[in-house]
Amino acid sequence: MPHHRSAFFISDRTGITAESLGHTLLTQFDSLDFQRETVPFVDTVEKAQALAQRISEVAERDHLRPLVFTSIVNPEVREALRLENVVLIDFFETFIGHLEAEIGQKATLTVGKAHGMVNEEKYDHRIEAVNFSLNHDDGVKLKDLDEADVILVGVSRSGKTPTCLYLALQYGIRAANYPLTPEDLGSPTLPKILLPFKDKMFGLTIDPNRLHHIRSERRPDSKYASMDNCRREVNEAESMFRHHSVPFISTTHKSIEEIASTIMHKAALGRKF
């Protein structure tokens, strides 16, 4: 008997929807080990039939029915994946019928609406937000912070850059970030460059032990990564946040998605597209 259960996330486009929804469901079974595979762009019956053959071979190998999550629009393509030796979780079949009945209108069944470039204006806004975050990473560009929707502040390696990029890509938020250096942390006073933008600031902090581990991978045996320095920087950053009533959260045990959602909620930010 295998130590895992095979799970396939299959889509006629990028696979993001099937993967996200399927992953969410599978996380509720944390005692099991799932061998996951995402298969995008299955948009013809021929492709689906070839994939179905491969999934059948996996079922014979594992002696367990693979879990197949699909977000395929075309019913004929979906049907080609409906095999006796697989468990098919069809997101379109599950939800579209209920929505059609409630709304009183047939779905268009158009491929690529969720993650395609359907609206160029919205897409351009999202790309502009990503470029803004890249240009304002680690305090590199500070002269137009008034254009930022939020400014993430925290010590080095507390998760500012990936959170800024996620906010930009997923929500269209113009997110800048400013790293608190040892010079900034000498007193609870905010860096002068940030004073005019205090209402846009949001702090990120992290457990000193976790910070020590992250920094040691980057610069081992350095003062920058030492436990004492990590503890001091985190304590002084948090003191600064409290002194100026800057909201902050710990990134220690949170995913980027959780961090971004928390910031959106606590900072009362809205999706920009």
Side-chain angles (χ1 to χ4, degrees), residues 92-106:
F92 263 90
E93 186 178 72
T94 300
F95 299 115
I96 286 292
H98 293 298
L99 286 171
E100 287 179 333
E102 176 61 30
I103 295 171
Q105 181 178 324
K106 296 296 288 184

Side-chain angles (χ1 to χ4, degrees), residues 212 215-216 218-227 229-230:
H212 166 66
R215 288 184 174 183
S216 293
R218 188 180 188 189
R219 288 167 56 183
D221 303 319
S222 64
K223 180 181 178 182
Y224 166 79
S226 71
M227 188 66 223
N229 186 60
C230 291

Side-chain angles (χ1 to χ4, degrees), residues 70-101:
T70 74
S71 59
I72 294 174
V73 174
N74 188 319
E76 293 181 358
V77 177
R78 296 203 306 266
E79 194 61 31
L81 294 167
R82 198 176 301 279
L83 307 170
E84 290 185 2
N85 57 348
V86 308
V87 178
L88 185 68
I89 295 92
D90 186 334
F91 294 123
F92 263 90
E93 186 178 72
T94 300
F95 299 115
I96 286 292
H98 293 298
L99 286 171
E100 287 179 333

Side-chain angles (χ1 to χ4, degrees), residues 9-259:
F9 310 112
I10 304 171
S11 171
D12 45 21
R13 292 298 291 172
T14 63
I16 294 173
T17 299
E19 187 178 62
S20 297
L21 291 173
H23 172 74
T24 299
L25 294 173
L26 294 183
T27 57
Q28 301 304 309
F29 304 92
D30 53 9
S31 63
L32 298 178
D33 177 27
F34 294 100
Q35 188 73 30
R36 307 165 197 243
E37 181 178 346
T38 300
V39 187
F41 305 113
V42 180
D43 51 8
T44 67
V45 172
E46 291 75 20
K47 289 180 183 178
Q49 289 173 338
L51 179 59
Q53 177 61 38
R54 183 158 69 86
I55 294 173
S56 291
E57 292 170 1
V58 170
E60 293 179 11
R61 180 198 69 196
D62 292 351
H63 303 293
L64 284 171
R65 294 194 296 169
L67 307 176
V68 177
F69 300 88
T70 74
S71 59
I72 294 174
V73 174
N74 188 319
E76 293 181 358
V77 177
R78 296 203 306 266
E79 194 61 31
L81 294 167
R82 198 176 301 279
L83 307 170
E84 290 185 2
N85 57 348
V86 308
V87 178
L88 185 68
I89 295 92
D90 186 334
F91 294 123
F92 263 90
E93 186 178 72
T94 300
F95 299 115
I96 286 292
H98 293 298
L99 286 171
E100 287 179 333
E102 176 61 30
I103 295 171
Q105 181 178 324
K106 296 296 288 184
T108 61
L109 300 181
T110 304
V111 175
K113 286 261 186 170
H115 300 288
M117 197 171 69
V118 178
N119 186 309
E120 288 191 14
E121 184 179 350
K122 291 179 180 179
Y123 182 81
D124 289 344
H125 184 95
R126 183 165 59 161
I127 296 305
E128 286 174 8
V130 171
N131 286 332
F132 182 90
S133 294
L134 289 171
N135 289 332
H136 294 78
D137 182 41
D138 262 355
V140 171
K141 189 177 180 182
L142 299 172
K143 66 178 182 179
D144 53 357
L145 286 178
D146 56 309
E147 297 180 12
D149 296 307
V150 67
I151 303 169
L152 301 189
V153 183
V155 300
S156 172
R157 313 306 289 178
S158 57
K160 301 182 299 301
T161 296
T163 302
C164 281
L165 290 174
Y166 188 88
L167 285 168
L169 191 59
Q170 295 296 322
Y171 300 104
I173 296 295
R174 289 174 170 248
N177 79 72
Y178 182 91
L180 293 172
T181 65
E183 291 75 20
D184 295 322
L185 296 169
S187 74
T189 305
L190 284 174
K192 287 184 179 180
I193 191 68
L194 296 179
L195 283 174
F197 313 107
K198 178 175 172 292
D199 292 341
K200 294 186 176 187
M201 289 173 54
F202 201 101
L204 298 185
T205 187
I206 187 171
D207 179 79
N209 290 292
R210 175 64 177 156
L211 183 61
H212 166 66
H213 175 74
I214 294 171
R215 288 184 174 183
S216 293
E217 290 185 339
R218 188 180 188 189
R219 288 167 56 183
D221 303 319
S222 64
K223 180 181 178 182
Y224 166 79
S226 71
M227 188 66 223
D228 287 343
N229 186 60
C230 291
R231 188 180 294 111
R232 179 186 62 79
E233 287 192 16
V234 169
N235 288 340
E236 292 183 2
E238 291 182 2
S239 294
M240 179 186 292
F241 298 151
R242 293 189 183 98
H243 183 77
H244 293 278
S245 300
V246 174
F248 68 95
I249 59 170
S250 173
T251 64
T252 309
H253 300 297
K254 286 183 171 65
S255 66
I256 294 298
E257 294 87 348
E258 290 174 308
I259 297 166

